[in-house]
Amino acid sequence: KEGEAITIFGDYDCDGVTSVAQWINLFRAAGHTNYRVYIPDRFIEDYGLTPAAVEKCLSSQKPRLIIAVDCGSTSIEALEVLKSKGVDVIVIDHHQVHSDELHPSFAHLNPKGDPRLSTSTALQDAALMSAAGLVFFVADRLAELAGIAKWDRVANLLLAGLGTYVDVMPLLGTNRA
């Protein structure tokens, strides 16, 4: 809304790239142009929000907000660095969470990190989803709430389906639908 610099930080696999693509589609549909994409080099920076990738991202893109997709749930050290530098991070991820501690991101959207997982059928279904599937539901709801008429729901659902299938997620529940 304020034109803030945003970086979409994604994993280099199909799930990560289709998640990034959905955010690009949402920003374009909303008319937001102050965004960049950062996908780390797997051979130099490794996987996800590593300290090296974060430093390179910050120096080259200078974001005020990072939306991390298909990574970030276990990147506590890098998230603490970002927080100390005043950069907000939204993590949308489906990988296993290794800690019960409060996540240092601004928002951590990962059904596997929710303490109600064992008792909630909806969370159990969401825990089977890829990041691309989770991003679809977040972006679709944001488009609805913001009244973004140009959001192409069908095209983005296809991206979510591709990320789900190629990431070898079980084709059960919402994934099957």
Side-chain angles (χ1 to χ4, degrees), residues 111-112 114-124 127:
K112 291 179 182 159
D114 193 306
R116 300 167 295 175
L117 181 60
S118 64
T119 60
S120 169
T121 304
L123 282 171
Q124 290 167 7

Side-chain angles (χ1 to χ4, degrees), residues 34-167:
N34 194 11
Y35 68 88
R36 308 255 323 258
V37 171
Y38 193 91
I39 297 176
D41 183 309
R42 71 184 294 178
F43 299 108
I44 297 170
E45 298 161 305
D46 203 6
Y47 161 80
L49 283 168
T50 62
V54 163
E55 287 302 324
K56 190 171 176 186
C57 175
L58 287 176
S59 67
S60 66
Q61 299 189 4
K62 300 179 181 26
R64 298 289 303 132
L65 170 67
I66 292 176
I67 301 171
V69 292
D70 198 27
C71 61
S73 287
T74 60
S75 303
I76 305 305
E77 180 185 349
L79 289 164
E80 291 289 357
V81 168
L82 289 164
K83 190 174 187 176
S84 73
K85 294 184 180 209
V87 179
D88 289 329
V89 182
I90 297 171
V91 173
I92 304 174
D93 194 6
H94 70 116
H95 293 102
Q96 198 61 46
V97 177
H98 300 297
S99 173
D100 290 336
E101 294 177 28
L102 186 62
H103 203 264
S105 59
F106 177 79
H108 181 216
L109 307 170
N110 183 336
K112 291 179 182 159
D114 193 306
R116 300 167 295 175
L117 181 60
S118 64
T119 60
S120 169
T121 304
L123 282 171
Q124 290 167 7
D125 181 59
L128 298 175
M129 297 177 75
S130 65
L134 296 170
V135 166
F136 172 78
F137 284 105
V138 171
D140 190 56
R141 183 68 174 139
L142 285 173
E144 180 184 336
L145 291 171
I148 302 171
K150 292 183 180 180
W151 167 251
D152 188 339
R153 190 169 204 257
V154 172
N156 288 287
L157 186 58
L158 290 171
L159 286 169
L162 180 63
T164 298
Y165 183 74
V166 176
D167 216 43

